[in-house]
Coordinates of all heavy atoms in Angstrom, one line a residue:
R1 N 116.4 -16.8 1.2 CA 117.9 -17.2 0.8 C 118.7 -16.2 1.0 O 118.5 -15.0 0.5 CB 117.8 -17.9 -0.6 CG 119.0 -18.6 -0.8 CD 118.8 -19.3 -2.2 NE 120.2 -19.6 -2.4 CZ 120.7 -20.6 -3.2 NH1 119.9 -21.4 -3.6 NH2 121.8 -20.6 -3.3
H2 N 119.9 -16.4 1.5 CA 121.0 -15.5 1.8 C 121.7 -15.2 0.5 O 122.0 -16.1 -0.2 CB 121.9 -16.0 2.9 CG 122.8 -14.9 3.7 ND1 123.9 -14.6 3.2 CD2 122.5 -14.1 4.7 CE1 124.5 -13.6 3.9 NE2 123.6 -13.4 4.9
F3 N 122.2 -14.0 0.3 CA 123.1 -13.7 -0.9 C 124.3 -14.4 -1.1 O 124.8 -14.7 -2.1 CB 123.2 -12.1 -1.1 CG 124.3 -11.7 0.0 CD1 125.6 -11.6 -0.4 CD2 123.9 -11.2 1.2 CE1 126.6 -11.1 0.5 CE2 124.8 -10.7 2.1 CZ 126.1 -10.8 1.7
A4 N 124.9 -14.9 0.1 CA 126.2 -15.7 0.1 C 126.0 -17.1 -0.1 O 126.8 -18.0 -0.2 CB 126.9 -15.4 1.3
G5 N 124.7 -17.6 -0.2 CA 124.3 -18.9 -0.3 C 123.6 -19.5 0.9 O 122.9 -18.5 1.5
D6 N 123.3 -20.7 1.0 CA 122.5 -21.2 2.1 C 123.1 -20.9 3.4 O 124.2 -21.2 3.6 CB 122.2 -22.7 1.9 CG 121.4 -23.0 0.8 OD1 120.7 -22.1 0.3 OD2 121.6 -24.1 0.2
V7 N 122.2 -20.5 4.4 CA 122.7 -20.1 5.6 C 121.8 -20.7 6.7 O 120.6 -20.6 6.5 CB 122.8 -18.6 6.0 CG1 123.1 -18.3 7.4 CG2 123.7 -17.9 5.0
T8 N 122.3 -21.5 7.7 CA 121.5 -22.1 8.8 C 121.6 -21.3 9.9 O 122.7 -20.8 10.5 CB 122.0 -23.5 9.1 OG1 122.2 -24.2 7.8 CG2 121.3 -24.2 10.0
Y9 N 120.4 -20.9 10.5 CA 120.4 -20.1 11.7 C 119.7 -21.0 12.8 O 119.0 -21.9 12.6 CB 119.3 -18.9 11.5 CG 119.7 -17.9 10.4 CD1 119.3 -17.9 9.1 CD2 120.6 -17.0 10.9 CE1 119.7 -17.0 8.3 CE2 121.0 -16.0 10.0 CZ 120.6 -16.0 8.6 OH 121.0 -15.1 7.7
S10 N 120.4 -20.8 14.0 CA 120.0 -21.7 15.2 C 119.3 -20.6 16.2 O 119.9 -19.5 16.6 CB 121.1 -22.3 15.8 OG 120.7 -22.9 17.0
T11 N 118.1 -20.9 16.7 CA 117.4 -20.2 17.7 C 117.7 -20.8 19.0 O 117.1 -20.1 20.1 CB 115.9 -20.0 17.4 OG1 115.4 -21.3 17.4 CG2 115.8 -19.4 16.0
S12 N 118.5 -21.8 19.2 CA 118.6 -22.3 20.5 C 119.4 -21.3 21.5 O 120.4 -20.8 21.2 CB 119.5 -23.7 20.5 OG 120.8 -23.4 20.2
G13 N 118.8 -21.0 22.7 CA 119.4 -20.2 23.6 C 119.2 -18.7 23.3 O 119.7 -17.8 23.9
F14 N 118.2 -18.4 22.3 CA 118.0 -17.0 22.1 C 117.4 -16.2 23.1 O 117.8 -15.0 23.4 CB 117.1 -16.9 20.9 CG 116.7 -15.5 20.3 CD1 117.5 -14.8 19.5 CD2 115.5 -15.0 20.8 CE1 117.3 -13.5 19.1 CE2 115.2 -13.6 20.4 CZ 116.0 -12.9 19.6
I15 N 116.5 -16.8 23.8 CA 115.8 -16.1 24.9 C 116.7 -15.8 26.0 O 116.9 -14.8 26.5 CB 114.5 -16.9 25.5 CG1 113.5 -17.1 24.4 CG2 113.9 -16.3 26.7 CD1 112.8 -15.9 24.1
E16 N 117.6 -16.8 26.4 CA 118.5 -16.6 27.5 C 119.6 -15.5 27.2 O 119.9 -14.9 28.0 CB 119.3 -18.0 27.9 CG 118.3 -19.1 28.4 CD 117.4 -19.8 27.3 OE1 117.7 -19.7 26.1 OE2 116.4 -20.4 27.7
K17 N 120.0 -15.6 26.0 CA 121.1 -14.7 25.5 C 120.6 -13.3 25.4 O 121.3 -12.2 25.6 CB 121.7 -15.1 24.1 CG 122.6 -16.3 24.2 CD 123.3 -16.4 23.0 CE 122.6 -17.1 22.0 NZ 123.3 -17.4 20.7
N18 N 119.3 -13.1 25.1 CA 118.8 -11.7 24.9 C 117.8 -11.4 26.0 O 117.1 -10.5 25.9 CB 118.0 -11.7 23.6 CG 118.9 -11.9 22.5 OD1 119.7 -10.9 22.2 ND2 119.0 -12.9 21.8
Y19 N 118.0 -12.0 27.1 CA 117.1 -11.7 28.3 C 117.5 -10.3 28.9 O 118.7 -10.0 29.0 CB 117.3 -12.8 29.5 CG 116.5 -12.3 30.7 CD1 115.1 -12.4 30.8 CD2 117.2 -11.9 31.8 CE1 114.4 -12.0 31.9 CE2 116.6 -11.4 32.9 CZ 115.1 -11.6 32.9 OH 114.4 -11.2 34.2
S20 N 116.7 -9.4 29.0 CA 117.0 -8.1 29.6 C 116.0 -7.8 30.9 O 114.8 -7.8 30.8 CB 116.6 -7.1 28.6 OG 116.9 -5.7 29.1
S21 N 116.8 -7.8 31.9 CA 116.1 -7.5 33.2 C 115.9 -6.1 33.4 O 116.4 -5.3 32.7 CB 117.0 -8.0 34.3 OG 118.3 -7.3 34.4
M22 N 114.7 -5.8 34.2 CA 114.5 -4.5 34.4 C 115.6 -3.8 35.3 O 116.1 -4.4 36.2 CB 113.2 -4.4 35.2 CG 112.3 -3.2 35.0 SD 110.7 -3.2 35.7 CE 109.9 -4.5 35.1
P23 N 115.9 -2.6 35.0 CA 117.0 -1.9 35.9 C 116.6 -1.8 37.3 O 115.5 -1.6 37.7 CB 117.1 -0.5 35.1 CG 116.5 -0.7 33.8 CD 115.5 -1.8 33.9
P24 N 117.5 -2.0 38.2 CA 117.2 -2.0 39.5 C 116.4 -0.6 40.0 O 115.6 -0.6 41.0 CB 118.6 -2.0 40.3 CG 119.5 -2.6 39.2 CD 118.9 -2.2 38.0
E25 N 116.8 0.5 39.4 CA 116.2 1.8 39.7 C 114.9 1.8 39.5 O 113.9 2.3 40.2 CB 116.9 2.8 38.9 CG 118.3 3.2 39.2 CD 119.4 2.2 38.4 OE1 118.9 1.4 37.6 OE2 120.5 2.3 38.5
V26 N 114.2 1.1 38.4 CA 112.9 1.0 38.0 C 112.2 0.2 39.1 O 111.1 0.6 39.4 CB 112.7 0.4 36.6 CG1 111.4 0.2 36.3 CG2 113.3 1.3 35.5
I27 N 112.8 -1.0 39.6 CA 112.1 -1.8 40.4 C 112.1 -1.0 41.8 O 111.0 -1.0 42.5 CB 113.0 -3.1 40.7 CG1 112.8 -4.0 39.3 CG2 112.5 -3.9 41.8 CD1 113.6 -5.2 39.4
D28 N 113.0 -0.3 42.1 CA 113.0 0.6 43.4 C 111.9 1.5 43.3 O 111.1 1.8 44.2 CB 114.4 1.3 43.5 CG 115.4 0.2 44.0 OD1 115.1 -0.9 44.3 OD2 116.6 0.7 43.9
L29 N 111.8 2.3 42.2 CA 110.7 3.2 42.0 C 109.3 2.5 42.1 O 108.4 3.0 42.7 CB 110.8 3.9 40.6 CG 111.8 5.0 40.5 CD1 111.9 5.5 39.2 CD2 111.4 6.2 41.4
M30 N 109.2 1.3 41.6 CA 107.9 0.7 41.6 C 107.6 0.1 43.0 O 106.4 0.4 43.4 CB 107.9 -0.6 40.7 CG 107.9 -0.2 39.2 SD 108.2 -1.5 38.0 CE 106.8 -2.6 38.2
E31 N 108.6 -0.3 43.7 CA 108.4 -0.7 45.0 C 108.0 0.4 46.0 O 107.2 0.3 46.9 CB 109.7 -1.3 45.6 CG 110.0 -2.6 45.1 CD 111.3 -3.2 45.5 OE1 112.2 -2.5 45.9 OE2 111.5 -4.4 45.4
S32 N 108.4 1.6 45.8 CA 108.1 2.8 46.6 C 106.9 3.6 46.1 O 106.5 4.5 46.8 CB 109.4 3.7 46.6 OG 109.6 4.3 45.2
S33 N 106.3 3.0 45.1 CA 105.1 3.8 44.6 C 103.9 3.6 45.6 O 103.9 2.7 46.3 CB 104.6 3.0 43.2 OG 103.4 3.6 42.7
S34 N 103.1 4.5 45.5 CA 101.9 4.6 46.4 C 100.8 3.6 45.8 O 99.8 3.3 46.3 CB 101.3 5.9 46.5 OG 100.8 6.5 45.2
L35 N 101.1 3.3 44.5 CA 100.0 2.4 43.8 C 100.3 0.9 44.1 O 101.4 0.5 43.8 CB 100.1 2.6 42.3 CG 99.7 3.9 41.8 CD1 99.9 4.0 40.3 CD2 98.2 4.2 42.1
H36 N 99.3 0.3 44.7 CA 99.6 -1.2 45.2 C 99.9 -2.1 44.0 O 100.7 -3.0 44.2 CB 98.3 -1.6 45.9 CG 98.4 -3.0 46.5 ND1 99.4 -3.3 47.5 CD2 97.9 -4.2 46.2 CE1 99.3 -4.6 47.9 NE2 98.4 -5.2 47.0
V37 N 99.3 -1.9 42.8 CA 99.5 -2.7 41.7 C 101.0 -2.6 41.3 O 101.7 -3.6 40.8 CB 98.6 -2.4 40.4 CG1 98.8 -1.0 40.0 CG2 98.6 -3.5 39.4
L38 N 101.6 -1.5 41.3 CA 103.1 -1.3 41.0 C 103.9 -2.0 42.0 O 104.9 -2.6 41.6 CB 103.5 0.2 40.9 CG 102.9 0.9 39.6 CD1 103.3 2.4 39.6 CD2 103.4 0.2 38.3
Q39 N 103.6 -2.0 43.2 CA 104.4 -2.6 44.2 C 104.3 -4.1 44.0 O 105.4 -4.8 44.1 CB 103.9 -2.4 45.7 CG 104.0 -0.9 46.0 CD 103.2 -0.6 47.3 OE1 102.6 -1.4 47.8 NE2 103.3 0.6 47.7
Q40 N 103.2 -4.8 43.5 CA 103.0 -6.1 43.3 C 103.9 -6.3 42.0 O 104.5 -7.5 42.0 CB 101.5 -6.5 43.1 CG 100.8 -6.5 44.3 CD 99.3 -6.9 44.2 OE1 98.8 -6.4 43.0 NE2 98.8 -7.6 45.0
L41 N 103.7 -5.5 40.9 CA 104.5 -5.9 39.8 C 106.0 -5.9 40.0 O 106.8 -6.6 39.4 CB 104.2 -4.9 38.8 CG 102.9 -5.0 38.0 CD1 102.5 -3.8 37.2 CD2 102.9 -6.3 37.2
A42 N 106.5 -5.1 40.9 CA 107.9 -4.9 41.3 C 108.4 -6.3 42.0 O 109.4 -6.8 41.6 CB 108.2 -3.8 42.3
R43 N 107.4 -6.8 42.7 CA 107.8 -8.2 43.4 C 107.8 -9.2 42.3 O 108.8 -10.1 42.5 CB 106.9 -8.3 44.5 CG 107.1 -7.6 45.9 CD 106.3 -8.2 46.9 NE 104.9 -7.7 47.0 CZ 104.5 -6.5 47.5 NH1 105.4 -5.7 48.1 NH2 103.2 -6.1 47.4
I44 N 106.9 -9.2 41.4 CA 106.9 -10.2 40.5 C 108.2 -10.1 39.5 O 108.8 -11.1 39.2 CB 105.7 -10.0 39.5 CG1 104.4 -10.5 40.5 CG2 105.6 -11.0 38.4 CD1 103.0 -10.1 39.7
S45 N 108.4 -8.7 39.1 CA 109.7 -8.6 38.3 C 110.9 -8.9 38.8 O 111.8 -9.4 38.2 CB 109.6 -7.1 37.7 OG 108.5 -6.8 37.1
D46 N 110.9 -8.8 40.1 CA 112.1 -9.1 40.8 C 112.3 -10.5 41.2 O 113.4 -11.0 41.5 CB 112.1 -8.3 42.1 CG 113.4 -8.1 42.9 OD1 114.4 -8.3 42.2 OD2 113.4 -7.7 44.1
G47 N 111.2 -11.3 41.0 CA 111.4 -12.7 41.2 C 111.5 -12.9 42.8 O 112.0 -14.1 43.1
G48 N 111.3 -12.1 43.6 CA 111.4 -12.2 45.1 C 112.9 -12.2 45.5 O 113.1 -12.7 46.6
Q49 N 113.8 -11.7 44.6 CA 115.2 -11.8 44.9 C 115.8 -10.4 44.9 O 116.6 -10.2 44.1 CB 115.9 -12.8 44.0 CG 115.6 -14.2 44.0 CD 116.2 -15.0 43.1 OE1 117.1 -14.6 42.3 NE2 115.7 -16.2 42.7
Q50 N 115.4 -9.6 45.8 CA 115.8 -8.2 45.8 C 117.5 -8.2 46.0 O 117.9 -7.3 45.3 CB 115.1 -7.6 47.0 CG 113.7 -7.3 46.8 CD 113.1 -6.6 47.9 OE1 113.6 -6.5 49.0 NE2 112.0 -5.8 47.7
Q51 N 118.0 -9.0 46.8 CA 119.4 -8.8 47.0 C 120.2 -9.5 45.8 O 121.4 -9.1 45.8 CB 119.8 -9.6 48.4 CG 119.0 -9.0 49.6 CD 119.3 -7.4 49.7 OE1 120.3 -7.0 49.5 NE2 118.3 -6.8 50.1
A52 N 119.7 -10.4 45.2 CA 120.4 -11.0 44.0 C 120.1 -10.4 42.7 O 120.0 -11.2 41.7 CB 120.1 -12.4 44.2
R53 N 119.8 -9.3 42.5 CA 119.5 -8.6 41.2 C 120.7 -8.8 40.3 O 121.9 -8.4 40.8 CB 119.0 -7.2 41.4 CG 117.7 -7.0 42.1 CD 117.3 -5.6 42.1 NE 116.2 -5.4 42.9 CZ 115.8 -4.4 43.5 NH1 116.5 -3.3 43.3 NH2 114.7 -4.3 44.2
R54 N 120.6 -8.9 39.1 CA 121.5 -9.0 38.1 C 122.0 -7.5 37.7 O 121.1 -6.6 37.6 CB 121.1 -9.6 36.8 CG 121.1 -11.1 36.9 CD 120.6 -11.7 35.7 NE 121.2 -11.4 34.5 CZ 120.9 -11.7 33.3 NH1 119.7 -12.3 33.2 NH2 121.6 -11.4 32.3
A55 N 123.2 -7.3 37.6 CA 123.7 -5.9 37.3 C 123.4 -5.7 35.8 O 123.8 -6.5 34.9 CB 125.2 -5.7 37.6
T56 N 122.9 -4.7 35.5 CA 122.7 -4.3 34.1 C 123.9 -3.7 33.4 O 124.8 -3.2 34.2 CB 121.4 -3.3 33.9 OG1 121.8 -2.1 34.5 CG2 120.1 -3.9 34.3
V57 N 124.1 -3.5 32.2 CA 125.1 -3.0 31.5 C 125.4 -1.4 32.0 O 126.4 -1.0 32.4 CB 125.1 -3.1 29.9 CG1 126.3 -2.4 29.4 CG2 125.2 -4.5 29.6
S58 N 124.2 -0.8 31.9 CA 124.3 0.7 32.3 C 124.6 0.8 33.7 O 125.3 1.7 34.1 CB 122.9 1.3 32.0 OG 121.9 0.9 32.8
S59 N 124.1 0.0 34.7 CA 124.5 0.1 36.1 C 125.9 -0.2 36.3 O 126.6 0.4 37.2 CB 123.5 -0.7 36.9 OG 123.7 -2.1 36.8
A60 N 126.4 -1.2 35.7 CA 127.9 -1.5 35.6 C 128.8 -0.4 35.1 O 129.8 0.0 35.8 CB 128.3 -2.9 34.9
F61 N 128.3 0.2 34.0 CA 129.0 1.5 33.6 C 129.0 2.6 34.5 O 130.0 3.1 34.6 CB 128.5 1.7 32.0 CG 129.0 3.0 31.5 CD1 130.3 2.9 30.9 CD2 128.4 4.2 31.6 CE1 130.9 4.0 30.4 CE2 129.0 5.3 31.0 CZ 130.2 5.3 30.4
R62 N 127.9 2.8 35.0 CA 127.8 4.0 35.9 C 128.7 3.7 37.2 O 129.2 4.6 37.6 CB 126.4 4.2 36.6 CG 125.5 4.8 35.4 CD 124.2 5.4 36.0 NE 123.3 4.4 36.6 CZ 122.5 3.5 36.1 NH1 122.2 3.6 34.8 NH2 121.8 2.7 36.7
K63 N 128.7 2.5 37.6 CA 129.5 2.2 38.8 C 131.0 2.4 38.5 O 131.7 3.0 39.2 CB 129.3 0.8 39.3 CG 130.0 0.3 40.5 CD 129.7 -1.1 40.9 CE 130.6 -1.5 42.1 NZ 130.3 -2.9 42.5
S64 N 131.4 1.9 37.3 CA 132.9 2.0 37.0 C 133.2 3.4 36.5 O 134.2 3.9 37.0 CB 132.8 1.2 35.6 OG 134.2 1.4 35.0
L65 N 132.2 4.2 36.1 CA 132.4 5.7 35.9 C 132.6 6.4 37.2 O 133.5 7.2 37.3 CB 131.4 6.3 35.0 CG 131.5 7.7 34.5 CD1 132.8 7.9 33.8 CD2 130.3 8.1 33.8
Q66 N 131.7 6.1 38.2 CA 131.8 6.8 39.5 C 133.2 6.4 40.1 O 133.8 7.3 40.7 CB 130.8 6.2 40.3 CG 130.7 7.1 41.7 CD 130.4 8.5 41.5 OE1 129.6 8.9 40.7 NE2 131.0 9.3 42.3
Q67 N 133.6 5.2 40.0 CA 135.0 4.8 40.5 C 136.1 5.6 39.9 O 137.0 6.0 40.6 CB 135.2 3.3 40.4 CG 134.3 2.5 41.3 CD 134.5 1.0 40.9 OE1 135.0 0.5 39.9 NE2 134.0 0.1 41.9
L68 N 135.9 5.7 38.5 CA 137.0 6.6 37.8 C 137.1 8.0 38.4 O 138.2 8.6 38.6 CB 136.8 6.5 36.5 CG 137.7 7.3 35.4 CD1 139.2 6.9 35.6 CD2 137.2 7.3 34.0
I69 N 135.8 8.5 38.6 CA 135.6 10.1 38.8 C 136.3 10.1 40.3 O 137.0 11.0 40.6 CB 134.3 10.4 38.9 CG1 133.7 10.6 37.4 CG2 134.0 11.8 39.6 CD1 132.2 10.8 37.3
E70 N 136.1 9.1 41.2 CA 136.7 9.2 42.5 C 138.2 9.1 42.4 O 138.9 9.8 43.1 CB 136.2 8.1 43.4 CG 134.6 8.3 44.0 CD 134.4 9.5 44.6 OE1 135.3 9.9 45.6 OE2 133.5 10.3 44.4
K71 N 138.7 8.2 41.6 CA 140.1 8.2 41.5 C 140.8 9.6 40.9 O 141.9 9.9 41.5 CB 140.5 7.1 40.6 CG 140.5 5.7 41.1 CD 140.8 4.6 40.2 CE 140.7 3.3 40.7 NZ 141.1 2.2 39.8
L72 N 140.1 10.1 40.1 CA 140.4 11.4 39.4 C 140.4 12.5 40.6 O 141.4 13.3 40.7 CB 139.7 11.9 38.2 CG 140.1 11.0 37.1 CD1 139.0 11.4 35.9 CD2 141.4 11.1 36.4
K73 N 139.5 12.4 41.3 CA 139.3 13.6 42.5 C 140.6 13.4 43.4 O 140.9 14.3 43.9 CB 138.0 13.4 43.1 CG 136.9 13.9 42.3 CD 135.5 13.8 43.2 CE 134.4 14.3 42.4 NZ 133.2 14.1 43.2
N74 N 140.8 12.1 43.7 CA 142.0 11.9 44.6 C 143.4 12.0 44.2 O 144.4 11.9 44.8 CB 141.7 10.6 45.3 CG 140.4 10.4 46.2 OD1 139.9 11.5 46.6 ND2 139.9 9.3 46.2
A75 N 143.5 12.1 42.8 CA 144.8 12.0 42.3 C 145.5 13.4 42.1 O 146.8 13.6 41.9 CB 144.6 11.6 40.7
N76 N 144.8 14.6 42.4 CA 145.5 15.9 42.4 C 146.1 16.1 41.0 O 147.2 16.4 40.9 CB 146.4 16.0 43.4 CG 145.7 16.2 44.8 OD1 144.6 16.6 44.9 ND2 146.4 15.5 45.8
A77 N 145.4 15.7 40.0 CA 146.0 15.9 38.5 C 146.2 17.4 38.2 O 145.4 18.2 38.6 CB 145.1 15.2 37.6
H78 N 147.1 17.5 37.4 CA 147.3 18.9 36.7 C 147.3 18.8 35.4 O 147.8 17.9 34.8 CB 148.7 19.4 37.3 CG 148.8 19.5 38.7 ND1 148.4 20.6 39.4 CD2 149.5 18.7 39.5 CE1 148.7 20.4 40.7 NE2 149.4 19.4 40.8
F79 N 146.5 19.6 34.8 CA 146.4 19.7 33.3 C 146.9 21.0 32.7 O 146.8 22.0 33.2 CB 144.8 19.7 32.9 CG 144.2 18.3 33.5 CD1 143.5 18.3 34.7 CD2 144.2 17.2 32.7 CE1 143.0 17.1 35.2 CE2 143.6 16.0 33.2 CZ 143.0 16.0 34.5
I80 N 147.3 20.7 31.5 CA 148.0 21.9 30.7 C 147.1 22.0 29.6 O 146.9 21.0 28.7 CB 149.4 21.6 30.2 CG1 150.3 21.4 31.5 CG2 149.9 22.7 29.4 CD1 151.7 21.0 31.4
R81 N 146.7 23.2 29.3 CA 145.9 23.3 28.1 C 146.8 23.6 26.9 O 147.7 24.3 26.9 CB 145.0 24.6 28.1 CG 144.1 24.8 27.0 CD 143.2 26.1 27.2 NE 142.5 26.3 25.9 CZ 141.4 27.0 25.9 NH1 141.0 27.6 27.0 NH2 140.9 27.3 24.8
C82 N 146.6 22.9 25.8 CA 147.5 22.9 24.7 C 146.8 23.9 23.7 O 145.7 24.1 23.4 CB 147.4 21.5 23.9 SG 148.2 20.2 24.9
V83 N 147.8 24.8 23.3 CA 147.3 25.9 22.3 C 148.2 25.7 21.1 O 149.4 25.4 21.2 CB 147.8 27.2 23.0 CG1 147.6 28.4 22.0 CG2 147.1 27.5 24.3
K84 N 147.6 26.0 20.0 CA 148.3 25.7 18.7 C 149.4 26.7 18.6 O 149.3 27.8 18.9 CB 147.3 26.0 17.5 CG 147.9 25.8 16.1 CD 146.8 25.9 15.1 CE 147.5 25.5 13.7 NZ 146.5 25.7 12.7
P85 N 150.6 26.2 18.4 CA 151.7 27.2 18.2 C 151.7 28.2 17.2 O 151.1 28.0 16.3 CB 153.1 26.1 18.1 CG 152.4 24.9 17.5 CD 151.0 24.8 18.0
N86 N 152.5 29.3 17.5 CA 152.6 30.3 16.4 C 153.7 29.9 15.3 O 154.4 28.9 15.6 CB 152.9 31.6 17.1 CG 154.2 31.6 17.9 OD1 155.1 31.1 17.4 ND2 154.1 32.1 19.1
A87 N 153.6 30.5 14.3 CA 154.5 30.2 13.3 C 155.9 30.3 13.6 O 156.8 29.5 13.1 CB 154.2 31.1 12.0
E88 N 156.4 31.3 14.4 CA 157.6 31.5 14.8 C 158.0 30.5 16.0 O 159.2 30.5 16.4 CB 157.8 32.9 15.3 CG 157.9 34.0 14.2 CD 156.4 34.3 13.9 OE1 155.6 34.2 14.8 OE2 156.0 34.7 12.8
K89 N 157.1 29.9 16.6 CA 157.4 29.0 17.8 C 158.1 29.7 19.0 O 159.0 29.2 19.4 CB 158.0 27.7 17.3 CG 157.2 26.9 16.3 CD 157.8 25.6 16.0 CE 156.9 24.9 14.9 NZ 157.6 23.6 14.5
V90 N 157.6 30.9 19.2 CA 158.2 31.6 20.3 C 157.1 31.8 21.3 O 155.9 31.7 21.2 CB 158.6 33.0 20.0 CG1 159.7 32.9 19.0 CG2 157.5 33.8 19.4
P91 N 157.5 31.7 22.7 CA 156.5 31.8 23.8 C 155.8 33.1 23.8 O 156.2 34.1 23.4 CB 157.5 31.5 25.0 CG 158.7 31.9 24.7 CD 158.9 31.6 23.1
E92 N 154.7 33.0 24.6 CA 153.8 34.2 24.7 C 153.3 34.9 23.5 O 153.0 36.2 23.5 CB 154.7 35.2 25.6 CG 155.0 34.6 27.0 CD 153.9 34.2 27.9 OE1 152.9 34.9 27.9 OE2 154.0 33.1 28.5
K93 N 153.3 34.4 22.4 CA 152.9 35.0 21.1 C 151.8 34.0 20.7 O 151.9 32.8 20.3 CB 153.9 35.0 20.1 CG 153.5 35.7 18.8 CD 154.5 36.0 17.9 CE 154.1 36.7 16.6 NZ 155.0 36.9 15.6
F94 N 150.5 34.6 20.6 CA 149.3 33.8 20.1 C 148.7 34.5 18.9 O 148.7 35.7 18.8 CB 148.3 33.8 21.3 CG 148.8 33.3 22.5 CD1 149.3 34.1 23.5 CD2 148.8 32.0 22.8 CE1 149.7 33.5 24.9 CE2 149.4 31.4 24.0 CZ 149.7 32.3 25.0
M95 N 148.4 33.6 18.0 CA 148.0 34.0 16.7 C 146.5 33.5 16.6 O 146.1 32.3 17.0 CB 148.8 33.5 15.5 CG 150.2 33.9 15.6 SD 151.1 33.3 14.4 CE 150.4 34.0 12.8
S96 N 145.6 34.3 16.1 CA 144.2 34.0 15.8 C 144.1 33.4 14.5 O 144.8 33.8 13.5 CB 143.2 35.1 16.1 OG 143.6 36.2 15.3
P97 N 143.2 32.5 14.3 CA 142.9 31.9 13.0 C 142.5 33.1 11.9 O 142.1 34.0 12.0 CB 141.9 30.9 13.1 CG 141.5 30.9 14.5 CD 142.2 32.0 15.2

């Protein structure tokens, strides 16, 4: 019994919502293995649909991050390092803590 009162839980669609496919990198490694059993498991895990693999969250994140890095490389950005100002707020005077 839940502390807030009666709570009804539904398990319909639990498997579909929580399905986690094997990352494409793992399947690629298994396919390129010299062990025949791993090659067979890769084909079974892949469902025979090598081209139609679902993108995992981590692979989508890596792809997005790579695109961001490429944009930053091409942007010729200039960065200014921020230094805590001195008490007098005059240039070229740095104080240590």
Side-chain angles (χ1 to χ4, degrees):
R1 197 172 155 147
H2 199 272
F3 71 91
D6 290 337
V7 177
T8 305
Y9 295 96
S10 173
T11 59
S12 65
F14 178 82
I15 300 287
E16 292 80 15
K17 286 192 283 184
N18 293 291
Y19 176 76
S20 178
S21 61
M22 209 178 299
E25 297 84 4
V26 173
I27 294 175
D28 290 342
L29 283 173
M30 290 170 64
E31 287 173 344
S32 64
S33 173
S34 59
L35 297 175
H36 185 65
V37 68
L38 286 180
Q39 294 172 0
Q40 288 179 322
L41 284 173
R43 282 190 281 273
I44 292 168
S45 300
D46 198 16
Q49 300 176 6
Q50 290 181 337
Q51 300 302 323
R53 291 184 186 156
R54 285 175 57 187
T56 61
V57 173
S58 65
S59 64
F61 177 75
R62 283 194 306 269
K63 182 179 178 183
S64 175
L65 185 59
Q66 187 61 38
Q67 290 172 343
L68 176 62
I69 290 170
E70 287 301 315
K71 284 182 182 179
L72 289 174
K73 284 181 182 177
N74 295 330
N76 295 324
H78 299 281
F79 297 95
I80 299 172
R81 183 176 176 165
C82 297
V83 179
K84 187 175 179 180
N86 54 50
E88 293 83 25
K89 297 184 181 179
V90 294
E92 302 297 325
K93 183 175 181 183
F94 302 98
M95 299 177 68
S96 61

